[in-house]
């Protein structure tokens, strides 16, 4: 039986402290300065609401000339509703979501924010397994655990998994081994290099929603074009295809929230070979029916798989 694992930033942030949301945001504030606080302030009226429900949030949206349907798109599907519980923006991608939602107030330099994010995530090159906190894991045990799987998928950009896995790691959103190339005839390629790249060269996908991220995984052509033309090639599309059609029967989801990445969730739900999905969550959430229902909604909306909720301590305890 073939097994797969999907790993998110919840794992990296436990291995390298710099990748924790609070530490990342400190660096973002320093790098962006007033731009960060300007974007952050746009959420302040929503944070101040006594009742943060659809009616009251939509009333504020309409005062800002934002249509009501954006409540579902941004506050529910993209989790801005949860963000209102914090005094300031708490995650890097949230910054992109808020900038996009309020773009008619000010045309924020979206690409500049992404470039800043690339540099921060690069972490001065300290993004591999030997940069991990030695008290968090035993590297040999971690290596053996990852190599128990036939497929390793990740939404992370860092090189931790590449440093330990015997085969190719499928980085769904690119990373420091990936490069986007535009040829003179207009063809666009997304390729994997043999050596890790700098943050200025590497191809990392950031986005305010799932569709924006999915669009960035694709090859194609761009103007100006010249003959002969082709359609290019993207290795990231190969990874999505593997997630959706790979012949594995079990998928273990560790440190991945499923939020803002519906293109990945849909690929999991559509896989006809997949029989069981193990979702690792906080120990105090294992027995909550609402958590199981959430996992069913994210990964099993076609009712093809068995969803099993387990404690993330079941994994971490093996790696000490």
């Amino acid at each position: 039986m073939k097994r797969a694992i999907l790993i998110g930033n919840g794992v990296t942030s436990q291995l390298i402290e710099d990748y924790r949301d609070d530490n990342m945001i400190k660096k973002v504030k320093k790098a962006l300065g007033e731009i960060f606080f300007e974007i952050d302030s746009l959420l302040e009226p929503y944070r101040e609401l006594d009742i943060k429900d659809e009616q009251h949030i939509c009333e504020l949206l309409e005062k800002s000339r934002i249509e009501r349907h954006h409540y579902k798109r941004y506050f529910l599907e993209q989790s801005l509703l949860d963000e209102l519980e914090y005094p300031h923006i708490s995650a890097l991608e949230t910054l992109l979501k808020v900038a996009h939602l309020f773009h008619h107030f000010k045309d924020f330099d979206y690409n500049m924010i992404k470039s800043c994010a690339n540099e921060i995530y690069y972490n001065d090159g300290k993004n591999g397994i030997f940069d991990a906190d030695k008290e968090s894991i035993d590297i040999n045990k971690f290596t053996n655990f990852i190599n128990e799987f036939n497929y390793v998928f990740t939404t992370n950009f860092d090189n931790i998994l590449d440093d330990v896995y015997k085969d190719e790691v499928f980085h769904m959103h690119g990373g420091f081994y990936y490069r986007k190339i535009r040829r003179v005839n207009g063809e666009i390629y997304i390729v994997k290099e043999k050596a890790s790249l700098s943050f200025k060269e590497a191809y990392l996908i950031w986005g305010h929603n799932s569709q924006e991220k999915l669009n960035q995984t694709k090859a194609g052509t761009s103007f100006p074009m010249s003959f002969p033309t082709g359609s290019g090639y993207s290795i990231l599309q190969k990874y999505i295809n593997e997630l959706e059609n790979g012949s594995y029967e079990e998928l273990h989801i560790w440190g991945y929230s499923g939020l803002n990445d519906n293109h990945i969730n849909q690929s999991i739900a559509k896989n006809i070979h997949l029989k069981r999905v193990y979702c690792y969550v906080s120990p105090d959430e294992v027995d909550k029916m609402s958590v199981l229902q959430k996992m069913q909604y994210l990964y099993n909306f076609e009712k093809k798989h068995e969803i099993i909720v387990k404690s993330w301590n079941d994994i971490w305890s093996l790696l000490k």
Side-chain angles (χ1 to χ4, degrees), residues 270-289:
K270 291 176 181 177
N271 190 309
I272 61 173
H273 306 287
L274 184 57
K275 295 179 179 174
R276 290 171 295 280
V277 179
Y278 292 85
C279 303
Y280 295 88
V281 302
S282 172
D284 61 342
E285 294 189 331
V286 171
D287 296 322
K288 291 182 179 179
M289 181 57 65

Side-chain angles (χ1 to χ4, degrees), residues 222-267:
S222 66
F223 292 100
M225 295 188 296
S226 61
F227 292 99
T229 59
S231 57
Y233 170 78
S234 170
I235 196 169
L236 303 184
Q237 284 287 290
K238 169 194 167 185
Y239 296 167
I240 291 173
N241 183 64
E242 288 286 354
L243 185 63
E244 187 168 322
N245 299 299
S247 58
Y248 52 90
E249 295 182 16
E250 278 187 11
L251 175 65
H252 296 251
I253 298 177
W254 182 32
Y256 168 80
S257 69
L259 302 175
N260 213 38
D261 287 313
N262 197 44
H263 57 298
I264 290 176
N265 304 342
Q266 287 182 357
S267 293

Side-chain angles (χ1 to χ4, degrees), residues 129-174:
I129 187 61
F130 295 107
D131 300 300
D133 179 4
K134 305 305 184 293
E135 295 183 2
S136 297
I137 56 161
D138 180 302
I139 291 177
N140 289 328
K141 290 180 180 179
F142 180 76
T143 300
N144 292 336
F145 173 74
I146 296 300
N147 281 286
E148 291 176 4
F149 295 93
N150 305 95
Y151 298 79
V152 175
F153 301 96
T154 183
T155 54
N156 299 342
F157 306 130
D158 58 76
N159 299 334
I160 290 174
L161 297 170
D162 307 85
D163 288 343
V164 303
Y165 190 52
K166 62 190 175 186
D167 209 337
E168 182 175 12
V169 176
F170 296 155
H171 286 266
M172 310 303 291
H173 294 151

Side-chain angles (χ1 to χ4, degrees), residues 182-217:
R182 184 190 182 279
R183 294 190 173 172
V184 292
N185 65 352
E187 292 177 3
I188 295 173
Y189 289 78
I190 300 173
V191 299
K192 184 175 184 179
E193 302 286 6
K194 293 182 179 179
S196 183
L197 303 169
S198 73
F199 66 88
K200 291 182 179 179
E201 302 171 294
Y203 188 62
L204 280 61
I205 291 177
W206 300 93
H208 74 280
N209 65 16
S210 178
Q211 189 59 52
E212 184 186 7
K213 292 180 183 179
L214 181 61
N215 290 342
Q216 293 177 79
T217 67

